[in-house]
Amino acid sequence: MTRERQAVPLQSVDVQVDVKDHVATVVSTLLYKNKEEKPIEAVFVFPMPSEASVYHFSAKVGETLIVAEVKEKKQAREEYDDALSSGQQAFLLEESDQSPDIFSMSVGSLRPGESASIRLEYVTELDVQADEALRFNLPAVLNPRYQPAGTESSVDVASVPSSLVPYDLTFSARVESSRPVSKVESTCTLDPVQYLNQDQTKASVKLAAGHKFDRDVELLIYYKDSHQPSAVVEAGQASAKPGSLMGDTALMLSLYPEFPKHVMSSTSSSGEFVFLLDRSGSMESFMSDSAKSGSRIDSARDTLLLLVKSLPMGCYFNIYSFGSSFQQIFKESVEYNQKTMEEALEKVKMMDADLGGTEILAPLKHIYSQSCIPGHPRQLFVFTDGEVGNTKEVINLVKSNADSHRCFSFGIGEGASSALINGLAKEGRGHAHFITGSGRMQPKVIQSLRFAMQPAVGDISVKWDLPKGVSASVLSPPLTSIFQGQRSLLYAQLTGQSEEGAEGCVTVKYSLAGRPTENKLNFSLKPAEDTGLTMHRLAARSLVRSLEKKQEDEREQKDYDAVKKKIIDLSVQSGVSSSLTAFIAVNKTCEGAIQEPVLRRNVPVPGRIYKSATTRIEALRSYSLGSGLGFAMDEVVYGSAIEDYDEMMFDEDEVGDAGPDFLMDSHAKARWSKPQWDPLLELVSLQKASGCWELEPALAKALSTTSQDLENKQPSVAKKEVWATILALVWLHDQKADAQDEWELLAMKSVTWLRSQNAVGLTECVEAANALLGSSVNKDVLGLQPTCTEPMETGLRSNLAQILQN
């Protein structure tokens, strides 16, 4: 039921995913049924991965199958409206004008009692995660996008509490790779993984029965030794015109650049690190529907602590936060030391999701107006739940300042806009991460900090060495960022014929720390089997996106119309969606026109989970103000709004004993209390900016021992700070070895400090720490000693280089 107690025509969603190495093909089947006594039009606004390439849309009504065509969006809308007005059935699928990660599906003129099965197909690339997993995400949550005042209206989203989503989801995935599948994990409950062959290169998984489509479905797929450079060559479509994208051979390159060790070992730890934290009302939402997950703002605060503690001495930093307005801790970026670190973290502790809307443009403009610090490249880290309506404007601002910084973006919680998060990183020459469900934010953020500490790559070029008569046209946007060990994708169209067994070579050249560097990949030109047209569709989508950006850049230029025509022609020719086209299908075989008025029914999607009803109303208020409605809400209105919302959304009969999980009163908040602080963060919070720890009662508490034991077990030859630092390092290696990627940088800082002290008694300290903590950590594991053949400074740089490479 919707808020108005209307029946929801969407009955169920079935999703089948076919994963081959780094690419997923997704087939979604949506079953609609009109249970009302009058004809209806069902409109479903839903999220979609921003990089997805939608290539098929069809409807089956009874025994009649209607396959949609891709047409120019205005024409498609007119055909749809004309069909409905003449009493015909029609089906329309289109990408939002505001953001490529929102689609709208219109199912027009379903007669009373009539059903329609809608089939939607798309292909998408899988992102590489910090732990080398490949991430597939099926988005379900679509939150209202905050619309700044004075901007165009955003998409109208119909949302309900996740517990009241009225349709079910069945989900299965088949995974296939040339390398064994080691494991598959998910944020949702899965049935056990089924391996389909002996060498475990094929596997299948499915969601446990009874799953509601009330949250994003995230799969993390792990292959053994999978992240190696590779190439997939795909033959063209036989019916397509030779020389066209679909008629020629398509190529997808997965590149994993390896930086020379001598360059990495000389990496400087200098830099200006600017952190921009979203403190809008929506950040008060829970990370997931688990009571143990904590809120988005809680997770972001904890992550900022770890980030700030991991910064190198001598760098510069500043922390901004934003909502309807923005704040900054320092007037301008300051040098990182004990005083500035303590001042910053004290203010971070007080940060809450209390700044209203999501006005991200203003703080970004202010950051870019600040002069860069010579010798300290600017690295911008943006943390947001990504619910804004002016996505393109924000991305264009980052793009116009790309030469002065690198931007690393983090989408927090379900419903974060993939278009915004990916766009910030892509245009800012950085890297993007998404943190959903119960997943920890810290390892992903620390990976980006490692990337930020790598030298910036410049002057990137691609050189081809192909057989005579074969040429390559790159279809992807130019490479603007390369990171050690991180995948870069490149699509190309190969024209011409080659002999059997022929090979090609691509060389990526770039400047790294002022030194010319290159990486080569040799590949066979023999087309792969059983790929369908997957590579062609991904390549077409990549080229469409490039042309769309070019069109925006030339909005006032004479080439605007020519670029627009090229986008439409390419979209129609390849059958792949774009911002300027739509899928349209009209059922012309249906007997008898519908004479009576057609009722519109909006299909709801799951919305975010708030800690309290007050927070929900605050969010509604900020959205109304941002959208220009500007109505005032006093205490009486607040109270009635809460009651009205509860009355609209929840019946005791519907909710049952569990109670609503979307809005929560003070009693519910007590049940959903903040989880206990992670012992790792408790220990990290005590580290000094220099990297050392002090012998204090708080350290004893963090190590689950007593101050007296710490003092009694201290070796007489060691200083207190040295003893305390060794204790912390031993505890980290023993108790938190599985989270080493989170604390490795700050541990390296500790080793640097110990070496700077010319500390004595290190062996005794490690032995005493093991005895006290009941551990067995080897001194060599701590990285305290360089090898016997290298000076201490060289050994330290080698350790740092290894961390950055990992």
Side-chain angles (χ1 to χ4, degrees), residues 417-430:
S417 167
S418 59
L420 175 68
I421 304 304
N422 287 328
L424 288 173
K426 186 170 291 185
E427 298 300 342
R429 302 180 301 126

Side-chain angles (χ1 to χ4, degrees), residues 301-303 305-306 309 341 345 349 440 442 674-688 692-694 696-705 724 728 731-732 736 742-743 746:
R301 275 196 307 262
D302 291 347
T303 302
L305 165 67
L306 194 63
K309 291 286 184 176
M341 183 195 77
L345 290 180
K349 287 180 185 177
R440 288 177 62 83
Q442 286 84 350
K674 181 183 176 181
Q676 187 177 359
W677 208 16
D678 187 334
L680 169 62
L681 297 177
E682 186 173 358
L683 180 67
V684 167
S685 69
L686 301 175
Q687 188 188 35
K688 303 301 178 183
C692 74
W693 275 265
E694 291 184 348
E696 55 181 327
L699 178 64
K701 180 177 180 292
L703 299 177
S704 299
T705 185
W731 186 90
L732 287 171
K736 293 294 179 180
E742 299 182 36
W743 51 259
L746 61 88

Side-chain angles (χ1 to χ4, degrees), residues 587-609:
N587 185 3
K588 298 180 180 179
T589 64
C590 188
E591 296 181 4
I594 296 175
Q595 303 296 332
E596 55 187 314
V598 176
L599 304 177
R600 180 185 173 105
R601 295 291 180 256
N602 293 318
V603 177
V605 291
R608 71 175 74 89
I609 305 170

Side-chain angles (χ1 to χ4, degrees), residues 74 107 122 217 229 284 427 436 499 520 540 546 642 689 712 736:
K74 182 181 178 183
V107 178
Y122 66 88
V217 178
E284 183 74 0
E427 298 300 342
T436 59
E499 296 180 0
K520 288 187 176 182
S546 297
I642 294 173
N712 291 342
K736 293 294 179 180

Side-chain angles (χ1 to χ4, degrees), residues 654-726:
E654 291 177 330
V655 176
D657 295 333
D661 64 354
F662 194 59
L663 299 177
M664 295 186 180
D665 57 22
S666 58
H667 300 290
K669 283 200 289 182
R671 298 196 303 271
W672 290 64
S673 58
K674 181 183 176 181
Q676 187 177 359
W677 208 16
D678 187 334
L680 169 62
L681 297 177
E682 186 173 358
L683 180 67
V684 167
S685 69
L686 301 175
Q687 188 188 35
K688 303 301 178 183
S690 63
C692 74
W693 275 265
E694 291 184 348
L695 207 63
E696 55 181 327
L699 178 64
K701 180 177 180 292
L703 299 177
S704 299
T705 185
T706 65
S707 296
Q708 186 175 359
D709 281 342
L710 293 188
E711 293 175 4
N712 291 342
K713 299 294 184 181
Q714 178 184 341
S716 58
V717 295
K719 296 179 181 179
K720 288 185 176 181
E721 289 82 0
V722 172
W723 167 234
T725 303
I726 293 294

Side-chain angles (χ1 to χ4, degrees), residues 6 127 143 235 355 425 627-628 699:
Q6 297 166 347
D127 295 328
N143 298 314
L355 292 184
S627 61
L699 178 64

Side-chain angles (χ1 to χ4, degrees), residues 640-806:
S640 62
I642 294 173
E643 293 173 0
D644 289 346
Y645 196 82
D646 285 341
E647 185 178 347
M648 285 190 295
M649 304 304 290
F650 308 115
D651 277 346
E652 290 183 7
D653 294 338
E654 291 177 330
V655 176
D657 295 333
D661 64 354
F662 194 59
L663 299 177
M664 295 186 180
D665 57 22
S666 58
H667 300 290
K669 283 200 289 182
R671 298 196 303 271
W672 290 64
S673 58
K674 181 183 176 181
Q676 187 177 359
W677 208 16
D678 187 334
L680 169 62
L681 297 177
E682 186 173 358
L683 180 67
V684 167
S685 69
L686 301 175
Q687 188 188 35
K688 303 301 178 183
S690 63
C692 74
W693 275 265
E694 291 184 348
L695 207 63
E696 55 181 327
L699 178 64
K701 180 177 180 292
L703 299 177
S704 299
T705 185
T706 65
S707 296
Q708 186 175 359
D709 281 342
L710 293 188
E711 293 175 4
N712 291 342
K713 299 294 184 181
Q714 178 184 341
S716 58
V717 295
K719 296 179 181 179
K720 288 185 176 181
E721 289 82 0
V722 172
W723 167 234
T725 303
I726 293 294
L727 277 168
L729 288 173
V730 169
W731 186 90
L732 287 171
H733 281 275
D734 180 61
Q735 296 292 318
K736 293 294 179 180
D738 58 341
Q740 187 169 353
D741 50 358
E742 299 182 36
W743 51 259
E744 202 164 24
L745 287 179
L746 61 88
M748 190 65 222
K749 191 161 60 167
S750 298
V751 173
T752 304
W753 178 84
L754 286 168
R755 289 176 172 171
S756 72
Q757 301 299 301
N758 294 318
V760 296
L762 296 183
T763 300
E764 292 87 343
C765 285
V766 174
E767 292 174 353
N770 279 325
L772 176 62
L773 300 175
S775 55
S776 56
V777 175
N778 191 296
K779 177 184 174 183
D780 295 338
V781 174
L782 302 181
L784 296 175
Q785 295 289 347
T787 64
C788 59
T789 59
E790 62 183 356
M792 184 163 289
E793 283 189 13
T794 304
L796 177 59
R797 287 199 302 268
S798 297
N799 282 341
L800 179 60
Q802 184 176 3
I803 290 173
L804 292 175
Q805 289 181 16
N806 292 336

Side-chain angles (χ1 to χ4, degrees), residues 9 58 95 147 215 230 241 280 430 464 728 780 789 791:
S58 62
E95 179 183 308
Q147 200 69 33
R215 74 198 79 165
S230 63
K241 180 181 177 182
S280 62
W464 297 88
D780 295 338
T789 59

